[in-house]
Amino acid sequence: AAGERGPGGIALVGPASGAPSCPHGPALLFVKTSQGKEEGRRFYACSACRDRKDCNFFQWEDEKVSETRLAAREEYNRNHRPTFTHRQNVERYKNFVLLPLSKRRFCQECQQLLLPAEWEKHSNHQFLCDISTAQLKSPSQFLYPLENKKTNAQYLFADRSCQFLLNLLIDLGFRRVLSVGTPRLHEMIQSKASQEEDFRVRSLLLDIDFRYSQFYTEDEFCHYNMFNHYFFGGEAARETCRKFLYEENGERVIMVTDPPFGGLVEALASSFKKLMAMWTETGKEGQGNKEMPMFWIFPYFFESRILDFFPSFRMMDYQVDYDNHALYKHGKTGRRQSPVRIFTNLTPSMIVLPVEEGYRFCTLCQRYVSSGNQHCEICNSCTSKDGRQWKHCVLCKKCVKPSWFHCNNCDCCALPNHSCEKTDSGCFVCGKAGHKRGACPSLS
């Protein structure tokens, strides 16, 4: 979402009723703050795009917008709607699968399945030919990922992580998965359901990428913006989601979400709470104040932000990795390991992590931890966040990364080469001149 643009100069106020809309749905309200002043001017900006180049929507809250400009905006929003509606895409798909293999084409430039009558119109474009049924069942494999980090950040689960998540959900007894921005997981569930007769898990994909409407029916996919909780398909799509969340015949529901990491945590949390409320409303008597079970997949350094909004959540040690991300790969060491984790409101001891990948159960913490995560007796917890063994700092009264040292000038642990608030040329550890960190007497 439209994150902090500049040093603390912008804060999210939140979704506002009567907010103007851009092609990504209702805009979010932000406030511009300048140093020394209580609060600055409020403005609306696109909920989904942080980069003005992707969506340049901007309007001051107190601005009077002329009729002409409103009409131009309406026109602009209309022109940015997809070529076909979801229903038309479903019809097109039915016709497409009836074609012989040699006539099944996909336009790579328009990212669209083509019927023979449309070939001429796309004649200068690059095609993928002979689209097999297997390919149609795995659209994320041939749709190119929208890798703009700030808007879509479509990094797709590697098979290892996807398979692990699905097995875990089945073992935990969930039969319905609300897949919010997780097309690979949805795809794997759909594919297994069509191949295995006794496979009972169902999935509904909510995603801002409308290209998926070409492959899934209106009961399998809703065009959705997770930054402003906006269903592009209106009340009908909202009803599809509500129906899916209604637990009948004991089919328990869990929500799994993998948002863009550049997104504003508070905007996401606001939408997720609305989805949880939708689940609560559809619930039977006796559901009480229980929260909808959820897996929020996000980097570990957002832990405190997520816990601010969802105090019942805990972070698991499992490293989630991605196919098309150069850094977020499993099995690398040190700084190169994937920082992406699962945050969940389920009881941590229920989340069994694969022992063959080096995870072990800590009986004191009552949860699975990575092999390098040693239990600290002073903190009484397995404290590592990044898979390496952390060390306890007596002065900070907590465990810190192994590469950090306590800086007496800053009175906290930091990297040796950090720009110290009171830098001098003395020892990094004790601040005195005449020796370097390695020979510091206070280290003994």
Side-chain angles (χ1 to χ4, degrees):
E4 285 81 7
R5 302 174 198 175
I10 284 168
L12 175 72
V13 179
S17 59
S21 286
C22 70
H24 304 95
L28 292 177
L29 187 59
F30 294 86
V31 62
K32 216 175 175 67
T33 52
S34 46
Q35 282 181 331
K37 288 187 183 170
E38 277 302 292
E39 194 173 276
R41 208 169 163 193
R42 287 146 76 107
F43 65 91
Y44 291 105
C46 175
S47 61
C49 306
R50 285 208 318 192
D51 201 319
R52 278 299 205 22
K53 289 198 287 286
D54 297 316
C55 180
N56 63 4
F57 184 87
F58 181 92
Q59 182 191 313
W60 293 110
E61 187 191 26
D62 53 13
E63 190 181 342
K64 288 277 175 279
V65 184
S66 70
E67 289 298 322
T68 321
R69 210 170 123 211
L70 279 175
R73 186 184 288 167
E74 276 299 309
E75 178 70 9
Y76 179 84
N77 289 353
R78 230 187 344 267
N79 292 339
H80 280 75
R81 285 197 190 122
T83 319
F84 299 105
T85 64
H86 193 165
R87 188 150 296 167
Q88 287 170 323
N89 273 338
V90 172
E91 284 308 311
R92 290 167 57 78
Y93 182 84
K94 284 179 189 164
N95 293 327
F96 189 88
V97 291
L98 296 174
L99 296 169
L101 206 57
S102 61
K103 293 204 167 168
R104 290 187 189 175
R105 290 189 181 179
F106 176 78
C107 176
Q108 286 185 288
E109 274 172 63
C110 304
Q111 291 284 291
Q112 192 180 307
L113 297 172
L114 298 181
L115 298 171
E118 299 159 344
W119 290 1
E120 188 56 40
K121 214 167 84 183
H122 297 258
S123 56
N124 304 332
H125 296 175
Q126 291 268 304
F127 290 153
L128 279 179
C129 297
D130 303 341
I131 304 291
S132 68
T133 308
Q135 280 176 295
L136 291 172
K137 294 263 179 264
S138 313
S140 74
Q141 309 276 358
F142 71 88
L143 290 173
Y144 65 74
L146 305 170
E147 288 184 4
N148 174 324
K149 286 185 184 58
K150 292 176 177 168
T151 312
N152 300 285
Q154 225 173 32
Y155 298 117
L156 302 161
F157 292 147
D159 252 8
R160 160 194 166 268
S161 289
C162 211
Q163 197 63 65
F164 163 74
L165 278 168
L166 182 52
N167 291 343
L168 178 60
L169 297 174
I170 294 167
D171 291 345
L172 290 168
F174 292 104
R175 290 295 168 262
R176 294 204 201 165
V177 183
L178 185 66
S179 304
V180 183
T182 57
R184 273 273 161 94
L185 180 63
H186 175 72
E187 198 168 278
M188 190 176 267
I189 292 171
Q190 294 290 101
S191 164
K192 277 188 184 292
S194 67
Q195 288 163 18
E196 301 169 23
E197 237 175 83
D198 55 350
F199 188 77
R200 290 277 168 266
V201 183
R202 285 171 48 216
S203 169
L204 172 65
L205 176 64
L206 305 189
D207 204 293
I208 198 164
D209 186 353
F210 191 67
R211 297 176 303 173
Y212 286 109
S213 69
Q214 300 178 83
F215 306 91
Y216 300 122
T217 66
E218 289 159 295
D219 287 339
E220 298 166 335
F221 168 77
C222 293
H223 191 202
Y224 174 79
N225 179 348
M226 67 172 91
F227 290 110
N228 58 3
H229 185 59
Y230 182 66
F231 287 88
F232 293 84
E235 200 42 52
R238 192 181 286 275
E239 193 48 43
T240 297
C241 183
R242 204 178 279 123
K243 256 206 212 109
F244 186 82
L245 292 177
Y246 179 72
E247 298 187 356
E248 53 192 346
N249 311 326
E251 292 193 335
R252 291 170 62 221
V253 174
I254 185 167
M255 172 175 152
V256 182
T257 183
D258 181 33
F261 303 149
L264 262 187
V265 173
E266 45 265 68
L268 292 166
S270 164
S271 295
F272 298 161
K273 284 185 172 176
K274 285 172 184 162
L275 287 169
M276 284 176 151
M278 209 187 255
W279 174 81
T280 309
E281 285 158 23
T282 63
K284 301 201 172 62
E285 295 303 316
Q287 206 160 264
N289 348 327
K290 281 201 303 201
E291 282 182 336
M292 167 163 73
M294 183 168 149
F295 283 169
W296 178 342
I297 292 156
F298 226 50
Y300 70 79
F301 35 83
F302 284 102
E303 182 181 23
S304 62
R305 298 291 296 124
I306 290 177
L307 299 189
D308 280 348
F309 295 101
F310 293 106
S312 63
F313 279 35
R314 291 291 167 268
M315 185 176 87
M316 302 296 101
D317 270 23
Y318 183 79
Q319 289 183 20
V320 180
D321 57 336
Y322 295 80
D323 258 358
N324 54 328
H325 197 296
L327 296 178
Y328 295 178
K329 292 272 192 254
H330 170 72
K332 295 190 172 182
T333 53
R335 296 294 300 268
R336 311 300 290 174
Q337 296 180 77
S338 170
V340 187
R341 304 287 183 269
I342 299 169
F343 292 86
T344 184
N345 51 3
L346 297 175
T347 310
S349 58
M350 293 163 63
I351 314 292
V352 180
L353 303 186
V355 176
E356 65 278 9
E357 286 182 21
Y359 297 101
R360 59 182 179 81
F361 189 74
C362 173
T363 47
L364 297 167
C365 293
Q366 281 293 295
R367 69 180 180 98
Y368 279 81
V369 294
S370 62
S371 50
N373 193 356
Q374 296 302 313
H375 194 89
C376 169
E377 289 180 5
I378 306 167
C379 298
N380 190 25
S381 169
C382 290
T383 49
S384 167
K385 310 283 183 199
D386 63 7
R388 299 178 292 172
Q389 186 174 341
W390 285 21
K391 59 184 184 184
H392 191 85
C393 172
V394 185
L395 299 169
C396 289
K397 297 189 173 66
K398 64 177 184 181
C399 286
V400 296
K401 292 181 178 181
S403 51
W404 288 20
F405 286 86
H406 196 86
C407 168
N408 283 1
N409 287 338
C410 301
D411 194 28
C412 68
C413 284
L415 281 166
N417 57 357
H418 76 297
S419 54
C420 188
E421 284 169 24
K422 303 186 229 127
T423 44
D424 55 30
S425 56
C427 162
F428 170 76
V429 178
C430 69
K432 291 176 185 154
H435 62 269
K436 290 292 174 202
R437 184 184 86 218
C440 179
S442 62
L443 277 181
S444 60

